[in-house]
């Protein structure tokens, strides 16, 4: 509902009789006096005559009832009618307190008069929608009250007649307008429903590379296709090392944890598919009210236009121009927008600062919305959006479990693929390291699946060969097998034309061009490629590429782009070699958009060209160029031994890496780098940290034995780095070689899949595990039956109904349960040796289980049930207590004299001075959080000389003098505000 434009459709015949009852009947005579009457002399409840309080409330009830009965969308949620009526009665009662004369009131006009009446009345204390509805009712009543005055006051006759006419006309016009014009909120709701339906249909299917479906079904349902990948925290400094456990989570749950995210990922890693999935999920499940806007920067800036204002967010959509005026702004102001900004790396580097300013301006103007911005890893610096409070994460490469799921789903969708092909491919990926290393993102996985089926089980072994084979397959697309009569055109002429398009895009820093530009480039090249004329002139050749090859696609009617940036870079490198533009290639070595182009030029070049490229990169000098030269060695099938040795020696000068970013960039050059990294037996803590970061980025099974060399580390940072890499390698092998032999047992080991749970068997001491949504109850139960754990986090396990697998966990001291909504039975928690519990659940019997923990030291509890300090076990001695419960009873809390942190939640109110006396017994309390509504009472009664931090729920300014009293009472205490409040 747009609260700025709500109207109330009531005819004058309904309102006027109700308003007349507010005032006393006039006596006989004309009422001609020498001065106007005060309004207070008119009201019916003065001098105990006429209306009493009950009558006034009855009139207010009637007015609310009539307003809700009027046609149109209901203006407030059910259950709030009584509150509005009570507030309206209180406001109308304030008529008796006004000192205005009737003439002064009429001269003010209805709006100003309504403002004065509301100011004289107590604050209504209603919800946002209810307060607006109440305000509109007051406005309507004031309009009719003034009209009533013009009919009975002592105006001069001419003034009386004129004002009566004007106000009667105003009322009639307002009534007519509100009857005839649909409400804005109704138009908003109707358009929003249509827009979300369009988004759900627009993003409900995915074109997966190389997959030919049945006729009429050329796109793959996203529900069947989507494989949830993981994201990890983007490290900023060496001390941060590799991703912290809280940041390793499924990508599609990313915005549940962080409202603003900069997501980095390599080409083909699934960034755009993730955006499509988030848009589809928000459009289908509109329970949280989120409205997604998908903003591909390559499209929005293809002509160098300025980035869009909110009213232009739908530019290019078929619904552009249909939205009610200002709808986008209202969604943003309400904090309901999900802004999915795709492809910072796909606009020229010179325009990226302008894009950041555009983002910052929108966030400043419309705080409270959710943002996801995507980019290639090196396109923008690590702190590019840090000032805007963005969390930076990296889309992790596909794990073996991801690859298996993708291959299985791909073959399920490919109805005509022989059933054994899927198993053959899974076996090939498991046995061939080179192939497994290629299958790191959805694009490459799709190509591998398609080529495996195309070649009946035989696959190319290198990246260059894989791309070349994929292009060959796409340029034919089985048209001959389908019996289509098309001109016979070899691959080479098609590649010659397509590479012109690719190179133009690369040179101009774009991924998208106008259709007219593409046709012009083809027309210019056709005289040199006469074989392609078999297809016709430039428009016909372009249409063939767009409609038959699958290499090009049209995001809008007048634009075109390659189906993926990988093909653009591969073909662009081919064009650069043909044109002899090696100097231009190496001249862009520091430009992230040219990195893959240079690698693919080395892969496709002749020995002399490879030598020239790598020599030029080494001679340029910057670290980035040297690393690029080294990374290109794996693509150089033939290279002089001396130059290869020189490139390896140049990289050694960069060792050990000086930052995590540099270490990871080094690791991406491939498993060859393992030979150059520090010896685990001799490395310092800093060198070990960098070496682990680099080895983790190689994604090669060869890295596992190397990483196992660090398992005896005494460094917590290196220990944590090793734990966080588990998901990047074979779960069973990494667990057997690294995880189960760590000197310090892991305390934040993420278990994200059944395969990981099944891989864990033997630990010297109980580990700490964090188990998330994709793990089945079967796998979790089996894990807990063979492994004792010291801490356990259970998150998003929807199928979990009980905790019986915890029976017998005699070492469990720390438990966290969050978003396990299916839980109904927690009896297994009784008697566990719990010291720390963080629980968010509404399960009967939970408080009784907590009462059975005599060793409890820290409790964080979110529950709709009341909580009492007397429910704690007699032996429990709390040091930290954080509550978000329906109510809190604190008698008995004073015995926990070791309590240092106490958060009573936003809803707690003291029962009286005794509660403050109870809290004053906590003579070691350092941090307290309460509602700002109890602050005055706190200052008067609380005695806590140890208090150093006072946190307040609410943002209302302190009453005059209260801040000074607070400072006198707690001179060493810092006061802070909570900006988010736990809601029951």
């Amino acid at each position: 509902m747009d609260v700025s434009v709500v109207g109330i459709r009531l005819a004058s015949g309904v309102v006027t009789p109700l308003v007349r009852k507010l005032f006393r009947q006039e006596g006989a005579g004309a009422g001609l006096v020498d001065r106007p009457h005060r309004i207070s002399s008119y009201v019916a409840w003065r001098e105990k005559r006429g209306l009493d309080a009950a009558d006034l409330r009855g009139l207010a009830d009637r007015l609310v009832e009539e307003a809700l009965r009027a046609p149109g969308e209901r203006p407030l949620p059910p259950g709030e009618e009584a509150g509005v009526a009570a507030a309206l009665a209180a406001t109308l009662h304030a008529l008796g307190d006004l000192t205005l004369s009737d003439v002064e009131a009429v001269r003010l006009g209805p709006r100003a008069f309504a403002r004065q009446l509301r100011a004289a009345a107590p604050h209504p204390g209603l919800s946002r929608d209810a307060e607006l509805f109440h305000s509109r009712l007051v406005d309507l009543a004031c309009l009719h009250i003034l009209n009533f005055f013009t009919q009975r006051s002592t105006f001069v006759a001419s003034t009386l007649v004129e004002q009566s006419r004007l106000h009667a006309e105003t009322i009639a016009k307002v009534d007519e307008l509100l009857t005839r014009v649909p409400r804005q909120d109704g138009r908003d709701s109707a358009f929003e429903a249509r827009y979300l339906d369009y988004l759900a249909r627009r993003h409900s299917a995915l074109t997966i590379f190389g997959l030919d479906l049945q006729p009429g079904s050329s796109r793959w349902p996203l529900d069947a296709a989507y494989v949830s990948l993981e994201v990890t925290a983007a490290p900023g400094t060496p001390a941060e090392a590799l991703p912290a456990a809280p940041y390793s989570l499924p990508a599609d749950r990313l915005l549940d944890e962080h409202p603003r995210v900069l997501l980095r990922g390599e080409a083909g890693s699934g960034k755009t598919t993730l955006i499509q999935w988030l848009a589809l999920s928000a459009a289908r499940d509109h329970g949280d009210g989120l409205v997604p806007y998908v903003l591909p920067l390559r499209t929005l800036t293809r002509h160098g236009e300025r980035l869009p204002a909110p009213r232009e967010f739908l530019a290019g959509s078929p619904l552009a121009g249909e939205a009610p005026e200002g709808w986008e702004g209202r969604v943003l102001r309400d904090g309901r927008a999900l802004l999915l900004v795709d492809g910072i790396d796909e606009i020229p580097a010179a325009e990226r600062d302008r894009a950041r300013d555009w983002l910052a301006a929108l966030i400043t103007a419309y705080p409270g919305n959710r943002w996801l911005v995507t980019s290639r890893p090196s396109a923008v610096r690590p702190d590019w959006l840090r000032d805007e409070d963005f969390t930076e994460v990296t889309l992790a490469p596909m794990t073996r479990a991801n690859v298996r799921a993708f291959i299985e789903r791909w073959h399920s969708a490919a109805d005509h693929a022989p059933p054994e092909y899927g198993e053959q491919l899974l076996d090939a990926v498991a046995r061939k390291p080179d192939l497994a290393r290629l299958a790191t993102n959805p694009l490459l996985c799709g190509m591998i699946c398609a080529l495996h089926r195309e070649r009946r089980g035989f696959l190319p072994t290198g990246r260059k060969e894989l791309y070349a084979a994929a292009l060959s397959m796409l340029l034919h697309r089985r048209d001959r097998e389908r019996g289509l009569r098309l001109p016979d055109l070899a691959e080479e002429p098609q590649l010659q034309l397509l590479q012109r398009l690719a190179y133009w895009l690369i040179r101009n820093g774009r991924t998208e061009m106008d259709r007219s530009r593409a046709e012009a480039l083809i027309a210019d090249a056709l005289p040199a490629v006469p074989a392609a004329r078999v297809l016709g002139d430039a428009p016909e050749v372009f249409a063939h590429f767009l409609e038959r090859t699958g290499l090009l696609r049209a995001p809008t009617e007048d634009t075109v782009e390659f189906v993926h940036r990988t093909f653009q870079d591969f073909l662009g490198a081919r064009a650069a070699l043909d044109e002899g533009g090696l100097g231009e290639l190496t001249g862009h070595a520091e430009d992230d958009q040219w990195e893959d182009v240079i690698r693919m030029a080395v892969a496709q070049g002749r020995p002399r060209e490879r030598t020239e490229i790598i020599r030029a990169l080494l001679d340029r000098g910057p670290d980035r160029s040297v690393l690029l030269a080294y990374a290109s060695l794996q693509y150089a099938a033939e290279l002089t031994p001396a130059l290869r040795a020189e490139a390896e020696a140049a990289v050694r000068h960069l060792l050990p890496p000086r930052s995590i970013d540099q270490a990871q960039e080094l690791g991406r050059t491939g498993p060859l780098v393992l030979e150059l990294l520090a010896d685990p037996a001799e490395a310092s803590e800093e060198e070990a940290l960098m070496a682990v970061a680099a080895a983790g980025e190689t994604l090669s099974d060869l890295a596992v034995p190397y990483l196992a060399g660090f398992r005896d580390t005494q460094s917590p940072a290196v220990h944590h780095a090793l734990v966080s890499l588990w998901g990047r390698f074979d779960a069973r092998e990494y667990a057997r070689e690294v995880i189960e032999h760590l000197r310090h047992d892991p305390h934040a080991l993420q278990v994200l899949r059944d395969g990981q749970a099944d891989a864990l068997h033997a630990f010297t001491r109980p580990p700490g595990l964090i188990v998330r949504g994709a793990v089945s109850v079967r796998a979790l139960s089996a894990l807990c039956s063979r492994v004792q754990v010291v801490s356990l986090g259970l998150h998003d396990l929807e199928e979990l109904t009980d905790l019986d697998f915890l029976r017998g966990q005699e070492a469990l001291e720390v438990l966290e349960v969050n978003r396990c909504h299916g839980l109904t039975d927690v009896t297994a928690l009784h008697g566990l040796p719990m010291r720390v519990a963080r629980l968010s659940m509404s399960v009967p019997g939970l408080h009784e289980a907590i009462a059975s923990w005599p060793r409890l030291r820290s409790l964080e509890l979110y529950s709709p049930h009341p909580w009492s300090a007397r429910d704690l076990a007699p032996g429990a001695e709390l040091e930290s207590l954080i509550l978000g419960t329906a109510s809190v009873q604190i008698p008995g809390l004073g015995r926990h004299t070791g309590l240092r942190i106490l958060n009573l939640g936003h809803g707690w109110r003291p029962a009286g001075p005794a509660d403050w006396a109870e809290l004053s017994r906590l003579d070691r309390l350092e941090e307290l959080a309460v509602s700002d509504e109890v602050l005055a009472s706190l200052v008067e009664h609380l005695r806590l000389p140890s208090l150093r931090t006072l946190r307040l729920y609410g943002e209302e300014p302190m009453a005059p003098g209260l801040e000074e009293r607070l400072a006198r009472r707690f001179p060493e205490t810092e006061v802070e505000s909570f900006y988010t409040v736990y809601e029951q």
Side-chain angles (χ1 to χ4, degrees):
M1 177 184 303
D2 174 16
V3 300
S4 66
V5 290
V6 172
I8 299 172
R9 303 178 190 172
L10 281 180
S12 303
V14 173
V15 183
T16 300
L18 297 177
V19 169
R20 287 186 179 277
K21 293 184 179 182
L22 297 173
F23 301 97
R24 294 187 292 108
Q25 295 295 319
E26 285 186 298
L32 300 177
V33 295
D34 58 0
R35 61 183 177 85
H37 285 271
R38 302 295 175 191
I39 293 174
S40 58
S41 66
Y42 286 157
V43 295
W45 53 90
R46 283 289 183 172
E47 302 176 2
K48 309 296 182 184
R49 292 181 295 178
L51 294 176
D52 58 16
D55 295 330
L56 188 60
R57 174 59 189 270
L59 285 178
D61 286 336
R62 177 72 185 286
L63 194 55
V64 170
E65 179 184 347
E66 293 292 342
L68 292 175
R69 186 180 298 168
E73 185 175 339
R74 184 181 178 87
L76 79 162
E80 298 194 28
E81 301 89 340
V84 173
L88 180 60
T91 302
L92 293 176
H93 192 275
L95 284 167
D97 300 323
L98 294 180
T99 59
L100 292 170
S101 70
D102 50 4
V103 173
E104 289 169 337
V106 173
R107 285 175 181 170
L108 280 175
R111 287 186 178 275
F113 178 58
R115 282 197 296 272
Q116 292 223 12
L117 181 57
R118 282 193 291 268
H123 189 275
L126 302 170
S127 70
R128 188 179 184 186
D129 285 348
E131 185 171 346
L132 176 71
F133 183 51
H134 164 264
S135 179
R136 295 302 187 199
L137 282 172
V138 173
D139 288 348
L140 186 66
C142 287
L143 184 66
H144 286 270
I145 287 170
L146 295 190
N147 185 62
F148 173 77
F149 287 163
T150 63
Q151 297 173 10
R152 65 177 288 171
S153 68
T154 56
F155 290 141
V156 176
S158 60
T159 304
L160 175 61
V161 172
E162 179 64 15
Q163 290 197 349
S164 296
R165 186 187 64 80
L166 288 175
H167 283 290
E169 182 180 336
T170 300
I171 293 171
K173 288 181 176 178
V174 170
D175 288 341
E176 177 67 15
L177 181 64
L178 292 176
T179 302
R180 295 175 57 184
V181 178
R183 292 191 206 171
Q184 185 68 53
D185 56 59
R187 293 202 300 273
D188 279 3
S189 299
F191 175 78
E192 201 165 291
R194 184 165 179 237
Y195 172 68
L196 293 174
D197 179 65
Y198 162 75
L199 278 183
R201 286 184 284 108
R202 171 73 177 81
H203 295 290
S204 64
L206 184 67
T207 301
I208 295 294
F209 177 87
L211 180 59
D212 294 316
L213 300 177
Q214 294 295 319
S217 180
S218 61
R219 285 160 64 82
W220 197 11
L222 191 57
D223 287 334
Y226 185 71
V227 174
S228 179
L229 304 180
E230 299 292 317
V231 296
T232 56
T237 63
E240 291 178 27
L242 289 170
Y247 290 98
S248 181
L249 74 163
D252 50 355
R253 296 181 183 231
L254 183 56
L255 292 173
D256 294 340
E257 304 285 340
H258 308 286
R260 299 177 191 171
V261 174
L262 173 60
L263 175 69
R264 299 176 188 266
E266 298 287 353
S269 60
K271 301 185 298 295
T272 300
T273 303
L274 173 61
I275 279 183
Q276 187 173 340
W277 178 258
L278 292 174
L280 174 66
S281 300
R284 282 182 173 174
D285 182 15
H286 199 47
D288 56 4
L290 281 182
V291 177
Y293 297 104
V294 180
L295 305 174
L297 292 187
R298 62 182 177 272
T299 299
L300 298 173
T301 63
R302 65 177 181 270
H303 297 301
E305 304 100 325
R306 64 179 179 81
L307 288 157
R311 66 178 178 277
E312 297 158 341
F313 279 180
L314 301 188
S317 162
L319 302 185
E322 292 189 21
E325 182 68 26
W327 168 72
E328 297 89 348
R330 290 188 288 276
V331 171
L332 286 161
R333 281 197 302 274
D334 289 347
R336 297 194 299 116
L338 170 60
L339 296 115
L340 304 168
V341 182
D342 192 19
I344 288 291
D345 58 289
E346 295 182 348
I347 60 176
E351 298 178 16
R352 292 174 193 168
D353 284 345
R354 184 163 59 90
R356 186 185 62 231
D357 294 341
W358 169 73
L359 287 168
L362 282 173
I363 290 168
T364 302
Y366 303 106
N369 296 289
R370 300 187 194 183
W371 292 81
L372 177 69
V373 180
T374 72
S375 172
R376 281 195 184 186
S378 57
V380 293
R381 64 178 185 270
D383 61 349
W384 195 66
L385 286 174
R386 187 167 297 168
D387 289 345
E388 309 306 326
D389 295 326
F390 271 70
T391 299
E392 293 197 20
V393 297
T394 299
L395 197 56
M398 294 176 76
T399 63
R400 295 201 173 191
N402 294 146
V403 172
R404 170 174 286 276
F406 186 99
I407 292 174
E408 289 173 348
R409 293 183 183 190
W410 194 98
H411 285 84
S412 295
D415 295 331
H416 296 295
E420 66 272 13
Y421 274 18
E423 288 303 320
Q424 289 177 4
L425 182 55
L426 287 169
D427 182 62
V429 171
R431 289 186 296 102
K432 298 180 179 179
D434 288 343
L435 186 60
R437 202 169 170 277
L438 284 172
T440 57
N441 65 50
L443 174 80
L444 294 173
C445 274
M447 288 199 299
I448 289 169
C449 290
L451 286 168
H452 184 261
R453 186 182 67 171
E454 176 84 9
R455 299 187 170 200
R456 294 174 171 80
F458 296 94
L459 283 169
T461 56
R463 190 177 175 197
K464 170 200 166 185
E465 291 77 13
L466 180 63
Y467 291 159
L471 285 168
S472 176
M473 181 181 63
L474 282 176
L475 291 176
H476 289 285
R477 296 292 292 177
R478 291 201 180 88
D479 282 340
R480 292 184 181 84
E481 295 180 16
R482 293 173 180 159
L484 299 179
R485 296 182 180 180
L486 296 173
D488 188 12
L489 180 60
E491 291 176 23
E492 185 60 28
Q494 297 183 72
L495 293 173
Q496 287 291 329
L497 296 176
L498 287 165
Q499 71 187 35
R500 308 285 180 97
L501 305 183
Y503 206 27
W504 185 94
L505 289 167
I506 292 167
R507 281 172 158 167
N508 289 276
R510 303 287 180 186
T511 58
E512 189 177 274
M513 68 171 70
D514 290 344
R515 183 186 186 114
S516 59
R517 170 71 67 179
E519 291 180 354
L521 289 169
I522 293 172
D524 290 343
L526 273 177
V529 191
R533 288 194 176 278
V534 69
L535 298 175
D537 293 333
E540 286 77 18
V541 175
F542 173 80
H544 170 80
F545 288 149
L546 183 63
E547 297 168 8
R548 307 307 323 166
T549 69
L551 265 174
L552 299 179
R553 64 184 175 195
T556 66
E557 185 176 350
D558 61 342
T559 61
V560 64
E561 64 185 5
F562 280 88
V563 69
H564 200 278
R565 177 69 178 267
T566 299
F567 294 118
Q568 177 181 308
D569 291 347
F570 185 83
L571 290 169
R574 197 175 187 273
L577 292 170
D578 284 355
E579 293 184 13
L582 303 187
E584 183 178 14
L585 280 175
T586 56
H588 287 87
E590 280 76 52
D591 187 337
D592 61 276
Q593 296 204 43
W594 286 72
E595 284 183 6
D596 239 16
V597 183
I598 294 171
R599 289 191 183 99
M600 290 298 96
V602 172
Q604 298 178 81
R606 294 177 292 244
R608 178 186 58 79
E609 292 166 331
R610 296 178 190 136
T611 298
E612 186 176 339
I613 293 171
I614 292 175
R615 162 61 55 203
L617 291 173
L618 293 174
D619 289 346
R620 287 183 65 84
D623 293 351
R624 188 183 181 102
S625 294
V626 172
L627 285 172
L628 186 54
Y630 182 76
S632 299
L633 294 181
Q634 63 180 303
Y635 302 110
E638 180 182 344
L639 196 67
T640 62
L643 184 58
R644 188 180 294 274
E646 184 180 345
E648 292 172 350
V651 168
R652 284 192 180 92
H653 293 156
L654 302 177
L655 296 171
R658 292 181 290 276
S659 70
I660 290 294
D661 288 340
Q662 190 182 90
Q664 290 179 327
E665 191 168 0
L666 187 65
R668 293 186 193 111
T669 61
L672 287 176
V673 78
L674 294 171
E675 301 173 8
L676 305 175
L677 296 175
D679 184 343
E682 301 176 1
S684 67
E685 180 179 10
E686 185 73 9
E687 289 173 338
L689 201 56
M690 300 304 162
V692 169
E697 287 296 317
T698 66
L699 305 176
S700 169
D701 290 341
L702 297 175
V704 176
Y706 175 77
L707 291 167
F710 293 95
R711 63 194 188 189
D712 291 332
T713 180
Q714 306 232 357
S715 165
V718 177
H719 177 276
H720 170 66
L722 290 169
V723 170
S724 67
L725 286 177
W726 184 24
R728 298 191 174 196
F729 300 97
D730 178 75
R732 194 172 298 277
E733 181 184 3
Y734 196 83
R736 184 176 60 248
E737 297 296 324
V738 181
I739 296 294
E740 294 180 346
H741 297 279
L742 290 171
R743 177 182 292 271
H744 305 286
D745 288 304
H747 286 279
L749 182 61
Q750 298 253 10
V751 181
L752 304 174
R753 294 171 291 279
D754 281 4
Q756 290 181 323
D758 295 340
L760 297 175
H761 286 86
F763 291 86
T764 56
R765 288 181 299 278
L769 305 179
I770 297 174
V771 183
R772 293 191 181 272
V775 179
S776 68
V777 175
R778 176 208 62 77
L780 178 57
S781 299
L783 172 61
C784 289
S785 70
R786 62 180 182 268
V787 175
Q788 287 282 311
V789 296
V790 69
S791 69
L792 181 63
L794 304 173
H795 303 270
D796 305 298
L797 300 172
E798 296 290 346
E799 66 175 82
L800 201 62
T801 58
D802 60 57
L803 301 175
D804 286 351
F805 53 86
L806 293 181
R807 299 185 190 277
Q809 284 289 333
E810 299 175 356
L812 184 61
E813 295 183 346
V814 180
L815 177 66
E816 181 172 1
V817 181
N818 189 29
R819 294 194 296 270
C820 297
H821 302 301
L823 266 179
T824 57
D825 182 0
V826 293
T827 54
L829 295 180
H830 283 262
L832 291 175
M834 208 71 66
R835 296 176 62 86
V836 178
R838 294 183 288 272
L839 309 173
S840 177
M841 61 175 78
S842 57
V843 182
L846 175 61
H847 292 192
E848 290 79 1
I850 295 173
S852 72
W853 297 337
R855 301 175 60 195
L856 189 64
R857 298 296 178 266
S858 176
L859 174 63
E860 186 171 341
L861 177 63
Y862 302 98
S863 167
H865 303 295
W867 181 87
S868 171
R870 292 195 176 100
D871 292 338
L872 292 169
E877 297 179 1
L878 291 182
E879 298 172 3
S880 174
L881 176 62
I882 299 173
L883 298 171
T885 57
S887 64
V888 178
Q889 298 175 16
I890 66 171
L893 188 62
R895 74 174 179 84
H896 297 270
T897 54
L899 200 63
R900 294 180 297 104
I901 299 172
L902 175 61
N903 183 333
L904 292 171
H906 70 94
W908 177 77
R909 299 294 183 272
D915 277 0
W916 293 119
E918 190 80 31
L919 294 179
S920 297
R921 296 173 58 192
L922 305 173
D923 53 12
R924 296 184 187 177
L925 194 66
E926 299 173 2
E927 181 180 313
L928 175 65
V930 293
S931 168
D932 59 1
E933 295 184 17
V934 307
L935 189 55
S937 178
L938 178 150
V939 171
E940 181 178 353
H941 297 289
L942 189 62
R943 302 290 186 276
L944 279 177
S946 60
L947 192 65
R948 295 296 177 264
T949 302
L950 176 62
R951 291 195 168 92
L952 301 176
Y953 287 100
E955 299 181 68
E956 293 297 323
M958 290 189 192
L962 184 56
E963 187 171 2
E964 182 179 347
R965 291 168 53 203
L966 181 63
R968 285 200 305 268
R969 173 56 62 87
F970 302 104
E972 299 182 35
T973 300
E974 182 178 351
V975 180
E976 301 175 356
S977 291
F978 276 110
Y979 290 96
T980 57
V981 176
Y982 174 80
E983 296 182 356
Q984 296 298 328

